[in-house]
Amino acid sequence: MDHSIHQPGADPWSVAAIEQNRAWLTAYLLGMVGSPGMVDDLVQEVFQIAFAKRGSFEAGRSFGAWLRGIARNVALRHLEQMGREPILLTGACLDAFDLAAAKAGALDLVPDAQERRLAFLHECMEKLGRMARQLIERRYIGGESAATVATQLGMSVSAVNVGVFRARAILAECITFKETGS
Amino acid sequence: MKEPSSRVAELIELHLAGVASHAEAEELRQEIASRPELAQHLFGAAWVHGILHSSASESAQAGHPAVGAKGASSMPPVRPGAATRRRLRTPSSRPFRNTASRPQYNAGRTSWLAIAACLTVVASALIFIGSPKQMPGVIGTLRDVDAGVTVASRGGAAAPAAAGMPIYPGDVISTPESGKVTVQCVTDDRLEATTFVFHAASEARLWQDQGGKRLNLTKGTLVCEVAVQPQGRPMVVTTPHAEVEVLGTRFRVVASEETHLEVDQGSVRLLELMSGRETIVSSGESAVAKGPESLSSESLSYVEIMETFDTADSAAANGWTGSGNRSNGMNFGWISGGLGSGGAAGGVFIRATDINYFADTSVGTLSMTGRLRLAGTLQLNNLNHDGAFCIGYFNPEEGYGNFLGLRFMEPTRGVKGPFRCYAGVEYEGVTYMDVIELPQKTTLPFDLTWVGRPDGSGTLSGMVGGQNVSIPVVAGTGNFSAFGLLNGGTGGHNASWKTSNCYFDNLIYSATSEKHSKQ
């Protein structure tokens, strides 16, 4: 099932509507290109192209799917410029990736979704184990590299990376549960 | 849905951090191709990554702890901008001074800070010592680390250093007033004989590209032992005053008010940035490269102008004009009030494809081979979300074809996010920039100086909003005929995408002496 990523009847070109799509679009582009320093600019590029092509958007179609199509092209062009291959090779991979993005986009339809999500994040952090919580805090609050965290905690860099991934997965599950109730 | 294996988890982490090697990216690609559901895990990881970044960013701006920090939480205090700020940290914020002293460049002069000459290893070839597997992208590793040494990654705040810590391209290493650290270089995942010893009160940024090793020493003392570098990939050490190119040798560099170089073995090419003079410094010799304050007044072909925008008439009389002012239907130009007394330059900046400007077009023809200054006060406001504008040197007919100065882009990460400010130089389609994040609704000073060399290369350095900038730019050519505000060329043409009023006042900029004589 695909989801329309703007409020039915709302103006998709308003600042509020654009902001509503920023979170999932940022994740979408980061997942595709893996260039954290470039993602903000790529998101902006998607919005610009979308606005320039707004005349071609047909009412009643999925706005989110339309944005994802633009984002995919922006990501592929960026990767081509960087001389890199896409990380998602097959249609099945892209479909699975798009499905996850569509679900995330649907969560953003709730009013004040971002504020609620940050509140849920606080609650979900409390549920992490001591080490998982420490890894997240050091990486995201302390801004420390995985290598620095590894050195300071006496772990391997691989263990830090895997630990952060697992901790984030717990947070994702917890936040999604709180937002959807399932 | 089955959880990813530890290896896949690690690969996704490396991918999202932008540090996966080609081999690791290929491994992840094949893993996802064989199990497409892993793509959902990839998205989920990126999604929570964004939430955590938003939390850290919002908290840093608000000055309170981020995620999960309730009551007696064990969470450490938030360091402002720790997770989001991306900037160069250099100490070169002191504005350059003009004095009448002659430039000095004394090959053979010995005026060194005392450094114990305890170097015993002769590195005459590229020697691999052991082969511990390093993380991809690692260019060095720390050893002999004294207390107080820190490393700031390009995406984060300074963290305490420890022996064995890997160094990545863009990392900034700082030593305390009494302490030192050694960096042993890594090439292709293998330790190399090249070492850098940073002595007390030093700060340097390291990176490596296809051109070879690069090290920007902004202050302090550096002792290098450089193994013979690959053909066509010389190591280059830059300071605020000099550039040292080396193929394989042992030397010391001290960057303070001027840059001292002493070569123990081999020879290096030393380029004094301010004068463009080059010399070969050989074994047993030393040299001093002076800063811009040593230039004679005769060698400075440009004068500095201050525009206070007290009235529209006075601004116009001083050469400020352009298609971007209010009378031409745009929303920026001379503004009554705004910032300081009298008036200011600025207003509302929309995203636009058309180029518009409000600038002093009577500055004459300014070359990138000269010394250009741009300084003043800026006020950034934002009620809407989008909009982009620039201040600097340009040609009205070319827009961004030749541009030197600051570019401001709309805030990111929500309407309360910081403006992105890019300091740099653009010509022939090439951009050299670094991101400085500036908060909304604040008044900030900026003071940058471009010091050009005869071939058009040079360094843009100084301060923006309390953050230091030093950007070396390779050779190019460019002339400018205007200084001021530039808007457009950003794609999208939508008047609803705009900033609210942003102002500039008390602008200091360079002009030819002819301009000065007219005033």
Side-chain angles (χ1 to χ4, degrees), chain B residues 154-473:
Chain B
R154 195 168 170 75
M165 179 183 287
I167 300 299
Y168 294 91
D171 283 357
V172 176
I173 296 172
S174 301
T175 59
E177 288 299 322
S178 60
K180 62 181 182 179
V181 65
T182 299
V183 175
Q184 181 156 16
C185 291
V186 172
T187 301
D188 299 331
D189 290 354
R190 298 171 73 90
L191 289 174
E192 187 188 312
T194 298
T195 58
F196 308 132
V197 180
F198 298 98
H199 288 259
S202 297
E203 186 171 78
R205 177 174 177 240
L206 288 82
W207 69 102
Q208 186 163 344
D209 56 28
Q210 293 182 337
K213 295 180 178 62
R214 301 288 182 265
L215 190 157
N216 181 23
L217 178 70
T218 50
K219 67 173 182 177
T221 301
L222 166 69
V223 177
C224 295
E225 288 184 53
V226 183
V228 172
Q229 297 297 292
Q231 185 78 27
R233 299 180 65 188
M235 190 186 108
V236 176
V237 175
T238 56
T239 72
H241 326 102
E243 181 179 289
V244 180
E245 181 180 299
V246 57
L247 293 173
T249 186
R250 188 172 65 206
F251 62 94
R252 299 170 185 146
V253 180
V254 180
S256 54
E257 294 299 309
E258 53 196 18
T259 293
H260 299 252
L261 169 71
E262 184 179 66
V263 177
D264 290 343
Q265 186 179 58
S267 61
V268 302
R269 179 184 65 84
L270 176 67
L271 171 65
E272 187 180 51
L273 297 178
M274 200 59 222
S275 65
R277 296 174 65 178
E278 284 187 19
T279 192
I280 300 297
V281 185
S282 300
S283 176
E285 293 183 339
S286 61
V288 178
K290 293 284 190 177
E293 61 270 26
S294 66
L295 274 187
S296 70
S297 57
E298 292 83 3
S299 65
L300 288 173
S301 56
Y302 306 144
V303 296
E304 290 180 355
I305 303 291
M306 174 182 270
E307 177 58 59
T308 57
F309 302 102
D310 286 342
T311 67
D313 289 343
S314 66
N318 290 334
W320 283 76
T321 184
S323 58
N325 65 26
R326 287 175 182 275
S327 63
N328 290 319
M330 297 295 288
N331 262 350
F332 67 95
W334 185 88
I335 306 288
S336 176
L339 177 63
S341 59
V348 173
F349 298 87
I350 65 170
R351 271 194 171 269
T353 52
D354 299 336
I355 301 287
N356 293 283
Y357 66 89
F358 177 62
D360 182 346
T361 56
S362 66
V363 296
T365 301
L366 306 173
S367 169
M368 281 180 68
T369 60
R371 175 183 177 276
L372 303 171
R373 185 177 175 203
L374 60 156
T377 305
L378 64 90
Q379 183 175 338
L380 298 173
N381 291 314
N382 200 59
L383 295 176
N384 295 303
H385 191 251
D386 290 276
F389 55 99
C390 296
I391 187 167
Y393 296 91
F394 59 93
N395 295 310
E397 66 277 13
E398 288 186 283
Y400 298 98
N402 282 307
F403 176 79
L404 187 157
L406 296 170
R407 176 191 287 244
F408 299 87
M409 301 291 284
E410 64 276 353
T412 59
R413 297 190 297 278
V415 294
K416 296 178 183 176
F419 276 86
R420 287 171 291 165
C421 171
Y422 300 81
V425 181
E426 297 181 39
Y427 57 86
E428 297 170 358
V430 182
T431 305
Y432 301 86
M433 288 191 169
D434 258 306
V435 180
I436 304 160
E437 295 193 341
L438 298 176
Q440 297 181 35
K441 298 178 182 175
T442 54
T443 300
L444 303 164
F446 64 97
D447 193 340
L448 293 174
T449 300
W450 164 261
V451 180
R453 297 195 288 260
D455 64 357
S457 64
T459 302
L460 182 65
S461 61
M463 170 275 296
V464 180
Q467 302 180 46
N468 296 316
V469 171
S470 178
I471 301 174
V473 178

Side-chain angles (χ1 to χ4, degrees), chain B residues 111-124:
Chain B
S111 56
W112 289 92
L113 296 182
I115 306 169
C118 56
L119 301 170
T120 56
V121 178
V122 177
S124 58

Side-chain angles (χ1 to χ4, degrees), chain A residues 22 31 34 41 44 48 51 85-86 89 96-97 117 121-122 126 133 137 140-142 147 158 161-162 166 168 172, chain B residues 4 10 13 15 18 29 36 39-40 48-49 51 56 67-68 73 75 79 83 166 351 385-386 410 420 490 494:
Chain A
R22 190 178 289 275
D41 286 340
Q44 200 62 42
Q48 286 177 19
F51 190 84
E85 292 290 319
L89 281 180
F97 195 70
R117 189 167 295 150
L121 175 63
H122 278 273
E126 300 291 336
R133 183 184 168 113
E137 288 173 352
Y140 288 95
I141 303 173
S158 292
N161 281 327
V162 173
R166 302 282 188 226
R168 269 204 318 252
Chain B
E10 182 183 12
E13 203 63 28
H15 171 68
R29 199 172 288 125
Q40 295 189 46
V48 182
H49 177 88
I51 298 170
V67 289
S73 165
M75 189 167 297
R79 283 174 284 184
R351 271 194 171 269
H385 191 251
D386 290 276
E410 64 276 353
R420 287 171 291 165
T490 49
N494 181 353

Side-chain angles (χ1 to χ4, degrees), chain A residues 30 121 124-125 128 132 135-136 139-140 160-176, chain B residues 3 9-10 12-14 16-17 41-53:
Chain A
L30 177 60
L121 175 63
C124 292
M125 282 290 291
L128 290 179
L135 290 174
I136 292 291
R139 290 287 277 128
Y140 288 95
V160 169
N161 281 327
V162 173
V164 171
F165 181 90
R166 302 282 188 226
R168 269 204 318 252
I170 294 169
L171 291 175
E173 187 176 358
C174 176
I175 292 169
T176 305
Chain B
E3 287 297 312
E10 182 183 12
I12 289 176
E13 203 63 28
L14 295 172
L16 294 181
H41 287 285
L42 173 63
F43 181 88
W47 185 65
V48 182
H49 177 88
I51 298 170
L52 286 162
H53 261 298

